[in-house]
Amino acid sequence: MAYEYPTVHRSEHTDVLHGRVVADPYRWLEDPDSPETEAFVAAQNECTQKVFAQVPHRSEFLARNTELFNYAKFSSPSKHGNRYFFYKNDGLQNQAVLYMQDSLTSEPTVLLDPNTLAEDGTAALSGRSFSMAETDSGMLYFAYGVSKGGSDWQTVKVLAIHPNGTIEHLADTLEWVKFSRFAWTRDDAGFFYSRYPAPKTFEGAADDKSHGTETDLNENQEIWYHRLNTPQSEDRQVFAYPEKPKYYLSAEVTDDGALLLVTISDGCKNANMLYVAPVAPFVAGGDLSFTKLVDNMDFSYDCLLNNGNELLFLTNRDAPRNRVIRVVDYTAAEPVWEEVLPEPEGAVVLESALPIRDDLLVCTFMKDASSLVRLYTQTGSVVRDIALPSVGSAGVSCKRTSAELFVYFTSFLYPGTIYREDLTDPATSAPSVFRESTVPGFSPEDFEAKQVWYKSKDGTPIPMFVVAKKNLPRNGANPVYLYGYGGFNVSLTPYFSAARIVFMQHFNGILALPTLRGGGEYGEEWHQAGTFGNKQNVFDDFHGAAEFMIAEGYTSPAKIAIHGGSNGGLLVAAAANQRPDLFGCAVGAVGVMDMLRFHKFTVGHGWTTDYGNPDEPEAFEYLIKYSPVHNVPSFETHGDRLRNGHGGYPATLLTTGDHDDRVVPLHSLKLIAELQHQLGHHPAQKNPLLIRVETKAGHGAGKPTKKILEEAADIYAYMGWALGATFTN
């Protein structure tokens, strides 16, 4: 089939980078507001919709996925003041609703329903924090951020919850807040938060210009203090770091309200500096006096608790798989550091440690990309394990001032179970099911999830989860959904997905989820093995996963679809460029596609800690070798892999959103233009090369259910069509 792609202007623009001339014919697509870019997006969406009209089974997939997605989803409860709070989505609500209740058995009432903030469900809660509720008034405050259209920008508002349960919406409104905690002072008079200067794009811009569509570089984040019932113009700046304008700044107040901790981070580097100041002088009207506890960017320090001037941290300091340490007195001229919990042995990673019951720590470990939970004393002695039902992912919710523990568990075949345990006497207590989600029409016993191992190109053993119907024959013809990420110390662990269940149940497909280097599944060394000049390891690991599935008789190249988002979108595009013979379909979501200019837009500068800085000659040399927009193959240069018997370059679908101010859309726009230019008109290219640009959508967080379901129907139906799969009932 021949596809009619839009005619796209290709300019003569070039840059000289480190002595090399580099063409950038689609530089004009970097302006999101230009009529030319808007026309390009409209034409591409029209082209894509024409192809989608030929794709069968979209309506069947949407109906079945909607049916499976329509189950009640809960968060673990948390207690603030005298009440419990939790999130619930009845099934198909666009956004989860925040409820409150006087006890775990009392009737819940709505505290805040984000679905009322925008008719189309595109307003979502982002940052959120309850006050300490320790004043005599009995008042509890809730600061929350609202993000619109998928943007990372949030408008911060405040609710007051009176002792009798009355809810009051305060007039407080904060703008230009992004990547921020809200850290309340103990007197509940206000909170610390992080904010940026307003982007220059908005100077003199029309009133209808939407936050999140701009590409301005975000720099000079600062920490401010907002006092309740005052305008933002009266907020007080309390911390800045102008010598490093790209650094991120975050504020946290210890549980006892005594100390303010300021964390200074360099992009996504797994390390931070740490400054500490007593809060009492500030609350009394004075200034903050900071002690530079950690003044280098060598390791990460995540504060767990304090006992006066003693502080406990989860850290990777001299421990790539993390440990717990304490500083005896942070004010000492030469602080004394002591180990509380050692680094785990073997390939186990200490993921988190949370204080509970004032004398215990609940620690979550990861072993081969699955969770283990163990209880310790705060001096480091093992108490016992917290039992989990199977291999999967666990999230812990607890408070230092309570013995109540909640564990949220999910896996490929578990949609979500919350366990509760009262640890007043850990010797006799045990977890019990508090809430359990059930999915209509889904029987987990019909499926099997297992973990296999294969070797990557350099011989490194790589684990991979494989999930499918039980007894699915290895006939070399099964559709495979291969998903990956491989970067930024992010771990891919088992979780439930209705869309993936539909793919396995009705396309007779297989889910394959490899543990790629660059992630955090085996600690900092595993992460570093997929960064900077080692990034090719990630692509090789991904190729190895496909080769394993083929060698073991599960599938064949024409039957493999690859999918990933953000850094995973980069993974998909680079893998398709390098091995078009290995995949039948490639879906790259909100991907980083221009590796020579990613650092010039919004928060892209923060990724140089994983990718390297293209302004530096050494990094430029390895980045240009895999940058997707600069390495699109052609039949003239890569004919051996493009003449592969299944249509040339994989059937491609790039997805992005017009409000993605994390990975701005220009990345995907440039790549689809280059793909269509190099391959789209060659007679041997039988597979389509498409892009789907969503409106009022961003990087993914807060996306309304309606858009999630529609996007999934487009993607999975497209993959099924590209792989020649039939939707069966």
Side-chain angles (χ1 to χ4, degrees), residues 32-33 151 153 202 209-215 658-661 665:
D33 298 321
S151 169
W153 291 118
F202 284 83
K209 181 169 175 58
S210 183
H211 295 187
T213 58
E214 79 289 343
T215 61
D658 65 346
H659 281 67
D660 190 346
D661 49 0

Side-chain angles (χ1 to χ4, degrees), residues 259-333:
L259 302 175
L260 173 67
L261 282 70
V262 169
T263 300
I264 306 167
S265 305
D266 180 10
C268 298
K269 187 177 182 180
N270 194 18
N272 60 270
M273 298 190 286
L274 191 70
Y275 292 7
V276 186
V279 176
F282 180 84
V283 171
D287 294 323
L288 292 164
S289 179
F290 285 97
T291 296
K292 298 180 180 180
L293 180 59
V294 180
D295 202 25
N296 57 63
M297 203 76 72
D298 296 334
F299 304 106
S300 65
Y301 297 83
D302 180 15
C303 185
L304 307 178
L305 60 92
N306 74 302
N307 296 304
N309 287 348
E310 176 193 65
L311 293 162
L312 266 68
F313 297 94
L314 178 70
T315 183
N316 60 10
R317 176 174 173 172
D318 302 321
R321 295 184 308 283
N322 300 334
R323 59 178 176 149
V324 175
I325 61 175
R326 72 184 186 116
V327 61
V328 178
D329 181 1
Y330 82 89
T331 66

Side-chain angles (χ1 to χ4, degrees), residues 288-555:
L288 292 164
S289 179
F290 285 97
T291 296
K292 298 180 180 180
L293 180 59
V294 180
D295 202 25
N296 57 63
M297 203 76 72
D298 296 334
F299 304 106
S300 65
Y301 297 83
D302 180 15
C303 185
L304 307 178
L305 60 92
N306 74 302
N307 296 304
N309 287 348
E310 176 193 65
L311 293 162
L312 266 68
F313 297 94
L314 178 70
T315 183
N316 60 10
R317 176 174 173 172
D318 302 321
R321 295 184 308 283
N322 300 334
R323 59 178 176 149
V324 175
I325 61 175
R326 72 184 186 116
V327 61
V328 178
D329 181 1
Y330 82 89
T331 66
E334 295 189 13
V336 176
W337 296 89
E338 298 177 349
E339 184 171 85
V340 177
L341 286 181
E343 181 182 25
E345 296 181 354
V348 178
V349 177
L350 175 56
E351 280 192 290
S352 69
L354 296 174
I356 188 172
R357 215 192 67 170
D358 207 38
D359 63 342
L360 300 176
L361 291 173
V362 183
C363 295
T364 303
F365 297 87
M366 182 164 43
K367 181 180 181 182
D368 295 333
S370 293
S371 295
L372 306 171
V373 182
R374 182 168 293 168
L375 202 61
Y376 291 84
T377 66
Q378 288 184 12
T379 56
S381 300
V382 177
V383 177
R384 63 171 170 83
D385 289 346
I386 303 290
L388 298 176
S390 74
V391 169
S393 305
V396 170
S397 176
C398 59
K399 296 186 73 173
R400 183 178 182 179
T401 54
S402 169
E404 195 169 39
L405 171 69
F406 293 95
V407 178
Y408 182 93
F409 179 82
T410 185
S411 191
F412 296 115
L413 306 178
Y414 285 80
T417 302
I418 301 170
Y419 296 88
R420 179 185 179 273
E421 182 171 356
D422 183 346
L423 288 170
T424 301
D425 183 3
T428 60
S429 63
S432 60
V433 174
F434 174 70
R435 283 192 180 116
E436 186 173 18
S437 294
T438 56
V439 179
F442 169 65
S443 301
E445 60 271 13
D446 295 340
F447 296 84
E448 178 184 32
K450 61 183 179 180
Q451 193 170 40
V452 299
W453 294 77
Y454 65 91
K455 288 188 176 181
S456 189
K457 183 178 180 179
D458 63 357
T460 300
I462 308 292
M464 176 167 60
F465 292 107
V466 177
V467 190
K469 287 181 179 178
K470 285 182 179 177
N471 304 315
L472 190 70
R474 295 196 195 181
N475 56 13
N478 296 305
V480 167
Y481 173 82
L482 177 60
Y483 187 88
Y485 188 80
F488 295 94
N489 203 40
V490 172
S491 302
L492 286 190
T493 59
Y495 70 93
F496 186 82
S497 164
R500 292 176 179 180
I501 294 296
V502 177
F503 179 82
M504 292 185 288
Q505 190 175 54
H506 295 281
F507 281 138
N508 284 316
I510 300 172
L511 166 64
L513 194 78
T515 301
L516 309 175
R517 280 175 284 185
E521 294 88 350
Y522 292 105
E524 186 58 21
E525 292 175 348
W526 190 257
H527 168 218
Q528 291 298 328
T531 62
F532 303 114
N534 297 323
K535 188 67 176 177
Q536 185 59 42
N537 287 337
V538 185
F539 312 140
D540 291 341
D541 293 352
F542 203 48
H543 300 156
E547 291 169 337
F548 173 87
M549 297 298 289
I550 295 166
E552 292 295 309
Y554 288 101
T555 191

Side-chain angles (χ1 to χ4, degrees), residues 618-633:
E618 182 182 359
F620 169 82
E621 289 301 327
Y622 59 72
L623 287 167
I624 198 171
K625 290 178 181 176
Y626 72 79
S627 176
V629 300
H630 300 95
N631 288 277
V632 172

Side-chain angles (χ1 to χ4, degrees), residues 220-222 239-246 249:
N220 294 302
Q221 191 177 35
E222 300 166 341
F239 193 90
Y241 207 79
E243 57 268 41
K244 292 289 186 179
K246 293 182 173 64
L249 308 181

Side-chain angles (χ1 to χ4, degrees), residues 630-650:
H630 300 95
N631 288 277
V632 172
S634 69
F635 281 88
E636 290 71 31
T637 60
H638 296 78
D640 54 333
R641 288 183 170 171
L642 287 169
R643 300 182 190 279
N644 48 39
H646 55 260
Y649 198 86

